[in-house]
Amino acid sequence: MRHVLDSLTIMGVAELVAPYPAIYIPEIDTLVISDLHLGYEGVMAEEAGLMIPKTQFKKEMNALREIEKRIKARRIVLNGDIKHEFSSTSYHESREVSDMLEYLQQEYEEVIIVKGNHDNFIARITSRYRVKLVEEFLDGRYYFVHGHEIPDGFASKGEVVIIGHEHPAIALYDDVGAKEKIPCILYGDMLDGRKIIVLPAFSILAQGSEVNMIPREELLSPILRQYVDVDSLNVTSVGPDVGCVAFPKLGLLRGIR
Amino acid sequence: MTQVAAYSFVDKPFSDEESLAALESYVREWFMRTFKELTPPQRYSFKLIADGHNVIITAPTGSGKTLAGFMSILSELFKMGERGQLAESVYCIYVSPLKALDNDVKKNLMQPLTEIREIAAEMGIELPEIKIAVRTGDVAGSEKQRQLKEPPHILITTPESLAILLNAPKFAEKLRTVRWVIVDEIHELAGSKRGAHLSLSLERLREAAEQDFIRIGLGATLHPLEEAARFLVGYDDAGRPRPCKIVDVTWYKPLQLMVTTPVKDIVHASAEEINEALYRLLDKLITKHRTTLIFTNTRSGTERVVYNLKEKWPSKYNDATIGAHHGSLSREIRLDIEDRLKRGELKAVVCSTSLELGIDVGYIDLVVQVGSPKSITRAVQRIGRSGHRFGDTARGVIVAMDRDDLVECAVMLKCALERRLDEIRIPTNCLDVLAQHIVGMALTRKWSVDEAFKLVRRSYNYRYLDRETFISLLKYLAGHYAELEDRSVYGKIWFDEKDMMFGRRGKYTRIIYYLNIGTIPDEVKVDVYLLPDKRYIGSIEEEFLERLRPGDIFVLGGRMYRFRYARSMSCYVEKPPKDSLPTIPAWFSELLPLSFELALEIQDFREEFKAMLRAGKTKKEIVAWLLRRFPIERHTAEAIHNYYREHYRYTGGKLPGRDEILVEITSDLQERRFVVFHALYGRRVNDALSRAAAILASDQIGRNVGVIISDNGFALHIPQDAEVDVEKLLRELASCDLEELLKRNIRRTEMMKRRFRHCAARSFLILRNYKGYKISVSKQQTNAQTLLNVCEEVNPNFPVIVETYREILRDVMDLERAKLVQEWLRTGKVKSTVIATDVPTPLAHNLIVLGDADIVLMEDRKRRLLQLHEAVMRKIRLAARS
């Protein structure tokens, strides 16, 4: 079946490291992932009384090792929301973030962390490692921002914009009414002619936006609301348990019952 | 060797002289001055309790049950007081499931407590005051402080508050002297997890007390009584049942019953006409009686009835004459309604189920039940609220809202008149409830696993718990599923696996225990906001949201809304166009199930009915027969007749009677395809059979399958382009290992997610209250599916998961009876016939309109996704063509 993909080349500039929610950009020899939400279970346990066992960190680490085996990149960009809690840095987070950075600095020549809205106080941890913590990152025509706000000078930077933040997923219903929520990568043209790639969350626990149900003006990312006609974006499912399947453009997935 | 039976029925009452001789002179004197005679339960209880027996007494309301339980205890307490043996300590604990009942009982005991002292004073005897106090979640902290300073001799409480008391460090000291425990409304508690919770509290109380206390169980209606006795008294450490005397004076109250329908022609009348007629009927009934109590089964139903009666007849029905009573109303409103009801100021009170239990409701001369109460026991219990005075006749009218209801209620009331009850089922080995108590026990002291296990097994609910499971629960509670360094967060107890000892851990654990105890699950609510300004309008259940597709129209708070989209725990809707109709039925996930016994009775009824149709009996003859046999009116009889005759005619004589399952392959007007199983076994059996059939069908066609479930049968909702081999499905359903099949596949149902969340909350895996804050669901952010996945990955035998399976297979489903039906299918006792219809038969119609209750997902998620993808592409191509 031609819709089931083993690999996906995104607009001739990046490759999806299927089935993981990660992309590789050959031109700048860079691997990109986003929205790791480390420490999720610990934060849930301490703050919300949800005593679920910790599984996410191990899974994310395993995925990173698999990815590393397949793609030898010089640099990795973590495109925001490395950790989960907004207001402070919990003990659980700092442990998981430290362990992961320890691993990444061993495997990659350069580790870049683009700050997301959950990444306050993260400098306390990153300062101990050989990583670069930035608000945004520009390399040639590639422009990395987390996507929760529009940075100054956003309109004039880069030709390919890479964001996270939204955790895009699509919701589909079958004949008997069963709902399936599928994490996806979105990509296509922006209204100003640049290209955009919206990465799905690397986190297995963070909830996603059902982008084919939520109206454009209600999306989380102001970049998607103001600079993109989301309905024109391409949609491909991503994730070890769903595989990599190319869907029609987002606009066609709206209103499907 | 002959063994003395632990449970013995006491058939003959004691004489009044014997009974009264069991009381102290001043108590006897008070009783004789206040009452003319002893009521039936009192003729047994005074003496039995005075003689120190455990006893279970079932009797109808208004039969002096409370005093039957308390009189001998008051007498003994006064005697101790007279002799100066009464310490500042608790001697008697009374537990009821209802705070309102607790308040009532205290009020009712104040009179004897005061008057007996006065009488004794007349006789020249100085008696000290017997102190009595209520302790429930509603009681203020200052009052609790006071109770500690001046402990009541009689403590009135609820199961939850008792469990908290056992952990109140100073107050627990005062429980050492307990000599009597009264469990009221035992029929309400015994069959639920709340009862399991109480049974463990009683064993913990036994551990805290200096001696074995006398247990007294009171209830209105209960069957079988031996089972209730086992629950009440439990076992001793040697595993022998504690003895118990059983007194059954249940059927003392005469009943006058009737089933009716709002309109004569219940089939062709529109929903609106039926509703209009319902209000007219209610008005007629209320007007003809002095005080009417109406049960509606649901809270929204209660609100609707009150609203409409006030709206239609404002001069007759207003705040002064009618009131609503249900659990969502504030305590003040409920108390106000109860008080005015008792004082006889109200013409009518409408309630969901909340006035079913024994608070004194004063003079009521008619009980109206809207829709089927689903069980004979419940029907009797509710109707028994009328004619409160000793010796009165209880009068009840059941208003059936559809034809299945009608048949069901007719047969139910006949059984009630014949004094046949459905059976109570006591849940066993509930791990979530046990988890709470282990935490409670660990908070009090260090325990060896052996002594704790011994204590737990004294409860009937845990009689057969195995040690391995007990230890797995200890490990879970100790947070052994988390990494060592995280156990301070995850662990609620400390457990040393080498020494087999456990005890308390963590500074928040005591607070967690106090604030999260209990067994009644909080439904996970999703907030609903109206677009465009996102005004909050109410909430729906998480599971209901999962069912909504964009564009679906549903009813909330009596208004219609169209679903647009959802974002984690919020749901956004808009106003639908005028004249829209709901596209998704109001979905009650937890309807009361029809009992198996009653279902078989209805099968017999259908069988007889079919025989008459076959014999060519006329409408007149059959209606006459119905009127002779059942407490129904002529138009009701005609409706039943028409219903079955239509089905009989339409199917060429295939009305499923005794031991017959009719399988009907059909489609509805929207061309949705169904395989309908007319299997009249009650919902709990059908819960099992339907899921099994859906799993088999899903595996056969490699697709998701929807399931509709009712008491009268179930239906599989099959994708349009799939073809099920029904004969093969039936063969597999009859021959499969039902328990194995369900165990392996229950994961594929939505019920699993919902129940898992409940069990997780009861097991303190999800806390509703943490560090003193009420936790909002939106803060917990994680849906039930994710939670379940994560726990399962860590350990498929995680106790919370094990408990979820147990609850589904043992409590929700009736696996034993489902297996029985399966065996009947195999041996040919039950026969199945397959037919195909273009339009659903009358029997199938009532089932299909219920809407899917569950969906069984096909096993392979990747394949599921590909099918969805294909469907999407197809729909897009179709849309492009048109």
Side-chain angles (χ1 to χ4, degrees):
Chain A
M1 220 179 301
R2 66 200 156 82
H3 298 290
V4 185
L5 311 171
D6 298 325
S7 63
L8 173 72
T9 304
I10 301 161
M11 299 178 291
V13 297
E15 282 160 27
L16 185 71
V17 192
Y20 301 104
I23 58 169
Y24 175 65
I25 304 172
E27 200 178 308
I28 51 173
D29 196 7
T30 297
L31 187 71
V32 197
I33 56 173
S34 185
D35 298 272
L36 284 75
H37 291 267
L38 292 173
Y40 188 96
E41 302 97 328
V43 171
M44 281 293 135
E46 296 257 34
E47 304 299 320
L50 196 68
M51 303 286 176
I52 50 170
K54 293 183 179 176
T55 56
Q56 178 171 263
F57 177 73
K58 234 182 236 167
K59 278 201 158 175
E60 291 191 5
M61 283 301 291
N62 288 342
L64 280 175
R65 287 195 191 96
E66 282 301 311
I67 291 166
E68 196 275 329
K69 268 188 224 156
R70 299 227 318 252
I71 308 268
K72 305 285 177 205
R74 190 188 70 81
R75 176 207 282 153
I76 186 166
V77 174
L78 310 181
N79 205 17
D81 287 358
I82 316 310
K83 67 186 196 65
H84 186 65
E85 172 63 31
F86 298 88
S87 50
S88 63
T89 299
S90 76
Y91 148 79
H92 307 273
E93 288 180 336
S94 67
R95 248 198 77 199
E96 292 187 3
V97 173
S98 303
D99 288 355
M100 183 162 289
L101 293 183
E102 182 80 46
Y103 163 81
L104 292 177
Q105 72 175 8
Q106 269 172 35
E107 298 293 341
Y108 296 90
E109 246 179 81
E110 194 180 359
V111 180
I112 293 180
I113 295 179
V114 178
K115 266 172 88 168
N117 48 319
H118 288 249
D119 295 327
N120 303 308
F121 309 101
I122 199 175
R124 289 179 200 166
I125 312 170
T126 53
S127 60
R128 286 183 268 138
Y129 296 89
R130 187 178 47 76
V131 301
K132 209 195 268 171
L133 182 63
V134 294
E135 297 292 333
E136 56 181 5
F137 180 63
L138 185 67
D139 184 356
R141 54 187 180 133
Y142 299 94
Y143 180 35
F144 301 84
V145 285
H146 178 60
H148 59 295
E149 57 189 14
I150 299 172
D152 290 343
F154 174 79
S156 60
K157 286 180 193 163
E159 290 163 32
V160 181
V161 180
I162 295 134
I163 67 168
H165 188 58
E166 190 74 44
H167 306 188
I170 54 170
L172 295 175
Y173 298 83
D174 81 348
D175 270 4
V176 300
K179 176 180 172 178
E180 200 76 52
K181 188 170 170 178
I182 308 154
C184 288
I185 186 166
L186 308 178
Y187 58 93
D189 294 328
M190 294 172 66
L191 296 171
D192 58 16
R194 287 182 293 177
K195 294 183 188 315
I196 188 161
I197 301 173
V198 188
L199 285 171
F202 206 68
S203 164
I204 53 165
L205 294 174
Q207 299 264 320
S209 295
E210 293 167 0
V211 289
N212 64 326
M213 311 247 303
I214 298 176
R216 174 185 174 184
E217 64 274 15
E218 295 294 333
L219 291 171
L220 294 176
S221 171
I223 296 173
L224 292 178
R225 293 200 299 264
Q226 293 171 34
Y227 284 85
V228 182
D229 169 13
V230 284
D231 283 354
S232 75
L233 296 182
N234 297 291
V235 179
T236 299
S237 72
V238 178
D241 55 341
V242 293
C244 194
V245 181
F247 280 88
K249 284 190 193 301
L250 186 58
L252 289 171
L253 298 173
R254 273 191 201 279
I256 279 203
R257 283 176 48 94
Chain B
M1 198 176 88
T2 55
Q3 206 180 354
V4 181
Y7 314 117
S8 54
F9 279 83
V10 186
D11 299 329
K12 264 196 6 225
F14 297 96
S15 69
D16 285 10
E17 292 72 41
E18 279 177 287
S19 290
L20 291 170
L23 306 175
E24 291 303 301
S25 57
Y26 32 81
V27 178
R28 183 163 60 233
E29 181 60 23
W30 174 82
F31 190 88
M32 291 195 301
R33 279 194 208 175
T34 316
F35 301 101
K36 283 198 285 292
E37 55 180 359
L38 279 76
T39 64
Q42 293 168 352
R43 293 198 174 104
Y44 293 88
S45 70
F46 286 6
K47 181 92 169 83
L48 287 172
I49 296 171
D51 288 348
H53 294 291
N54 293 329
V55 54
I56 190 160
I57 303 166
T58 68
T61 38
S63 60
K65 222 178 344 155
T66 312
L67 276 190
F70 270 109
M71 207 73 249
S72 306
I73 298 171
L74 297 190
S75 178
E76 182 67 19
L77 285 174
F78 276 123
K79 187 168 101 189
M80 289 166 73
E82 190 185 347
R83 294 179 183 168
Q85 294 165 343
L86 211 55
E88 296 266 287
S89 197
V90 177
Y91 292 94
C92 171
I93 297 180
Y94 166 95
V95 190
S96 94
L98 218 62
K99 292 173 199 165
L101 184 53
D102 281 354
N103 294 326
D104 234 44
V105 164
K106 183 189 169 190
K107 229 184 288 171
N108 292 341
L109 286 179
M110 288 315 288
Q111 188 197 351
L113 286 177
T114 327
E115 291 177 1
I116 289 170
R117 283 179 77 205
E118 287 165 10
I119 288 171
E122 284 172 28
M123 298 161 87
I125 303 167
E126 187 70 30
L127 291 180
E129 188 191 353
I130 305 282
K131 278 179 277 192
I132 181 166
V134 173
R135 190 147 176 143
T136 64
D138 287 348
V139 170
S142 56
E143 165 67 13
K144 288 178 185 164
Q145 278 304 314
R146 203 189 57 78
Q147 289 175 11
L148 183 61
K149 259 184 245 147
E150 283 181 62
H153 301 113
I154 300 172
L155 179 73
I156 305 220
T157 189
T158 59
E160 291 73 22
S161 290
L162 176 60
I164 289 172
L165 272 180
L166 288 167
N167 275 87
K170 286 178 202 142
F171 200 88
E173 271 295 298
K174 310 289 181 195
L175 301 178
R176 294 178 45 134
T177 45
V178 166
R179 287 181 56 192
W180 299 273
V181 173
I182 301 179
V183 179
D184 202 355
E185 307 288 349
I186 195 167
H187 58 281
E188 178 68 17
L189 291 166
S192 68
K193 283 195 170 179
R194 243 185 135 190
H197 198 275
L198 174 63
S199 85
L200 286 176
S201 285
L202 292 183
E203 293 315 325
R204 289 179 60 198
L205 180 65
R206 170 65 195 89
E207 200 73 12
E210 285 158 354
Q211 56 178 339
D212 227 345
F213 43 78
I214 296 168
R215 300 178 186 218
I216 300 155
L218 305 174
T221 43
L222 208 54
H223 177 76
L225 277 166
E226 293 91 327
E227 191 71 359
R230 282 183 196 106
F231 165 74
L232 176 69
V233 296
Y235 295 78
D236 64 17
D237 278 337
R240 286 178 306 235
R242 297 189 182 106
C244 186
K245 300 283 183 197
I246 300 174
V247 175
D248 182 8
V249 283
T250 318
W251 293 112
Y252 181 73
K253 203 170 195 172
L255 297 168
Q256 189 188 323
L257 308 171
M258 177 60 79
V259 185
T260 189
T261 51
V263 288
K264 291 207 165 139
D265 183 353
I266 202 166
V267 185
H268 298 102
S270 68
E272 240 161 86
E273 284 166 344
I274 293 179
N275 273 329
E276 288 302 309
L278 170 67
Y279 301 126
R280 279 200 304 276
L281 173 66
L282 291 176
D283 170 50
K284 201 176 94 192
L285 291 169
I286 295 168
T287 309
K288 272 200 343 214
H289 294 84
R290 208 185 91 186
T291 310
T292 305
L293 176 60
I294 301 169
F295 287 94
T296 60
N297 289 350
T298 65
R299 290 167 188 187
S300 57
T302 296
E303 292 291 353
R304 233 173 8 248
V305 167
V306 173
Y307 173 81
N308 276 289
L309 288 175
K310 280 183 180 171
E311 182 86 2
K312 287 178 202 310
W313 298 280
S315 58
K316 228 196 271 185
Y317 303 111
N318 47 55
D319 290 337
T321 58
I322 188 168
H325 189 283
H326 59 71
S328 300
L329 292 171
S330 75
R331 187 169 157 252
E332 286 70 32
I333 294 177
R334 275 181 287 142
L335 283 179
D336 176 56
I337 295 291
E338 285 163 23
D339 284 341
R340 287 161 61 203
L341 183 59
K342 277 175 223 172
R343 291 199 299 266
E345 293 170 9
L346 295 168
K347 278 298 289 172
V349 170
V350 189
C351 75
S352 51
T353 59
S354 50
L355 290 170
E356 179 177 314
L357 296 184
I359 60 161
D360 181 7
V361 284
Y363 182 85
I364 283 171
D365 51 351
L366 179 71
V367 168
V368 179
Q369 162 76 46
V370 179
S372 169
K374 291 286 168 193
S375 103
I376 312 165
T377 311
R378 199 174 297 110
V380 170
Q381 170 73 14
R382 289 184 180 172
I383 291 163
R385 303 314 320 257
S386 68
H388 198 80
R389 261 186 342 223
F390 174 66
D392 281 355
T393 296
R395 281 192 182 79
V397 172
I398 300 190
V399 187
M401 299 302 279
D402 68 46
R403 295 192 291 185
D404 284 326
D405 242 19
L406 192 54
V407 175
E408 191 175 302
C409 295
V411 176
M412 183 188 306
L413 290 196
K414 183 163 175 287
C415 291
L417 288 170
E418 290 166 7
R419 313 301 201 203
R420 277 181 292 161
L421 291 180
D422 18 47
E423 276 182 25
I424 185 173
R425 227 195 44 84
I426 293 178
T428 57
N429 295 347
C430 314
L431 298 183
D432 47 2
V433 169
L434 180 55
Q436 294 189 8
H437 278 290
I438 292 176
V439 172
M441 286 162 71
L443 283 168
T444 57
R445 65 174 170 96
K446 254 195 206 177
W447 293 79
S448 83
V449 170
D450 284 336
E451 63 177 335
F453 186 53
K454 208 184 214 177
L455 180 155
V456 167
R457 295 233 304 185
R458 290 202 302 251
S459 150
Y460 177 51
N461 303 69
Y462 296 89
R463 180 73 208 124
Y464 302 103
L465 183 75
D466 61 78
R467 197 162 187 277
E468 206 179 316
T469 308
F470 186 66
I471 289 172
S472 77
L473 201 54
L474 290 173
K475 283 191 202 165
Y476 154 70
L477 286 170
H480 289 193
Y481 63 92
E483 302 274 321
L484 205 56
E485 57 270 32
D486 290 336
R487 288 191 190 157
S488 59
V489 179
Y490 288 84
K492 279 153 208 89
I493 62 168
W494 152 89
F495 174 39
D496 183 335
E497 284 186 60
K498 228 173 55 215
D499 295 345
M500 282 290 161
M501 298 287 289
F502 68 94
R504 65 179 297 182
R505 147 174 237 160
K507 56 179 169 168
Y508 297 114
T509 311
R510 185 171 292 277
I511 300 283
I512 289 175
Y513 179 76
Y514 286 164
L515 294 181
N516 292 277
I517 205 165
T519 57
I520 302 159
D522 282 354
E523 284 309 332
V524 174
K525 297 289 185 194
V526 174
D527 292 336
V528 182
Y529 299 94
L530 183 62
L531 296 168
D533 49 351
K534 299 188 183 169
R535 191 160 51 81
Y536 173 80
I537 49 167
S539 62
I540 55 176
E541 288 174 19
E542 184 187 12
E543 282 74 13
F544 187 73
L545 173 65
E546 301 241 315
R547 276 307 168 68
L548 288 177
R549 303 194 205 193
D552 269 340
I553 294 167
F554 65 99
V555 179
L556 178 64
R559 290 221 168 81
M560 273 188 286
Y561 298 100
R562 184 158 65 187
F563 174 57
R564 283 285 301 279
Y565 64 96
R567 167 165 262 152
S568 80
M569 289 296 174
S570 303
C571 166
Y572 298 90
V573 298
E574 61 194 3
K575 287 212 175 97
K578 274 213 164 53
D579 304 323
S580 307
L581 288 173
T583 57
I584 182 155
W587 178 57
F588 298 110
S589 40
E590 312 274 295
L591 283 177
L592 300 165
L594 178 72
S595 67
F596 187 67
E597 293 82 6
L598 190 49
L600 295 187
E601 294 280 350
I602 300 172
Q603 282 195 8
D604 286 348
F605 168 71
R606 277 196 195 161
E607 186 68 34
E608 277 185 78
F609 204 101
K610 188 164 65 173
M612 281 190 291
L613 290 172
R614 213 174 262 156
K617 296 262 195 250
T618 63
K619 176 172 179 178
K620 213 175 137 196
E621 288 169 317
I622 294 180
V623 167
W625 174 80
L626 285 169
L627 288 173
R628 273 200 311 279
R629 290 268 312 253
F630 298 97
I632 53 177
E633 296 168 312
R634 176 164 298 274
H635 75 259
T636 329
E638 284 176 0
I640 294 177
H641 165 269
N642 295 347
Y643 183 30
Y644 283 166
R645 189 181 286 272
E646 273 165 33
H647 184 91
Y648 186 84
R649 212 181 268 160
Y650 185 73
T651 56
K654 298 204 169 52
L655 177 66
R658 187 188 302 128
D659 297 333
E660 280 178 293
I661 296 178
L662 179 66
V663 183
E664 176 182 346
I665 304 164
T666 191
S667 314
D668 68 0
L669 290 175
Q670 291 122 52
E671 291 180 4
R672 296 182 306 167
R673 300 182 61 234
F674 298 98
V675 181
V676 181
F677 293 71
H678 299 283
L680 213 174
Y681 294 107
R683 197 190 167 92
R684 291 186 56 227
V685 168
N686 285 344
D687 258 322
L689 293 178
S690 63
R691 260 57 168 231
I695 290 160
L696 293 168
S698 169
D699 289 351
Q700 196 188 98
I701 60 177
R703 302 287 290 273
N704 298 339
V705 171
V707 191
I708 304 172
I709 306 158
S710 87
D711 292 310
N712 303 314
F714 57 91
L716 306 182
H717 178 187
I718 306 287
Q720 270 176 14
D721 53 342
E723 213 50 67
V724 178
D725 181 343
V726 174
E727 293 289 351
K728 181 168 173 241
L729 181 63
L730 275 166
R731 277 196 305 277
E732 287 173 348
L733 186 61
S735 63
C736 68
D737 182 337
L738 197 61
E739 186 160 356
E740 261 309 298
L741 181 81
L742 288 171
K743 248 191 214 157
R744 256 187 298 116
N745 294 287
I746 215 70
R747 275 289 275 118
R748 288 155 66 184
T749 66
E750 290 181 356
M751 175 163 56
M752 179 79 187
K753 290 186 259 175
R754 171 197 193 81
R755 294 281 170 171
F756 178 77
R757 205 189 253 281
H758 293 171
C759 292
R762 285 192 213 100
S763 311
F764 295 164
L765 183 72
I766 302 175
L767 301 174
R768 292 164 289 182
N769 253 296
Y770 190 44
K771 302 182 183 178
Y773 301 104
K774 182 125 183 101
I775 307 275
S776 74
V777 175
S778 60
K779 194 161 186 196
Q780 294 180 330
Q781 286 175 19
T782 317
N783 64 29
Q785 178 71 63
T786 311
L787 281 175
L788 178 56
N789 289 348
V790 168
C791 292
E792 205 170 40
E793 266 170 42
V794 171
N795 175 7
N797 290 318
F798 202 56
V800 185
I801 296 177
V802 172
E803 173 57 23
T804 311
Y805 280 111
R806 193 209 59 77
E807 181 179 305
I808 290 173
L809 293 173
R810 306 289 159 189
D811 300 351
V812 180
M813 297 178 174
D814 187 343
L815 195 59
E816 295 316 311
R817 261 90 170 245
K819 279 189 199 162
L820 188 65
V821 173
Q822 223 196 352
E823 192 193 310
W824 289 344
L825 270 169
R826 271 199 303 273
T827 57
K829 175 173 161 25
V830 167
K831 298 205 164 38
S832 59
T833 317
V834 181
I835 59 170
T837 56
D838 299 332
V839 178
T841 58
L843 286 183
H845 180 77
N846 276 348
L847 188 54
I848 290 170
V849 294
L850 293 175
D852 296 11
D854 200 351
I855 294 172
V856 170
L857 297 175
M858 59 177 290
E859 229 172 337
D860 182 346
R861 185 163 185 226
K862 273 188 192 161
R863 247 182 90 198
R864 228 150 69 206
L865 179 64
L866 289 182
Q867 283 176 4
L868 274 175
H869 181 264
E870 261 171 57
V872 165
M873 300 311 284
R874 205 165 51 234
K875 283 175 194 163
I876 288 170
R877 275 197 298 275
L878 276 176
R881 234 178 273 154
S882 61

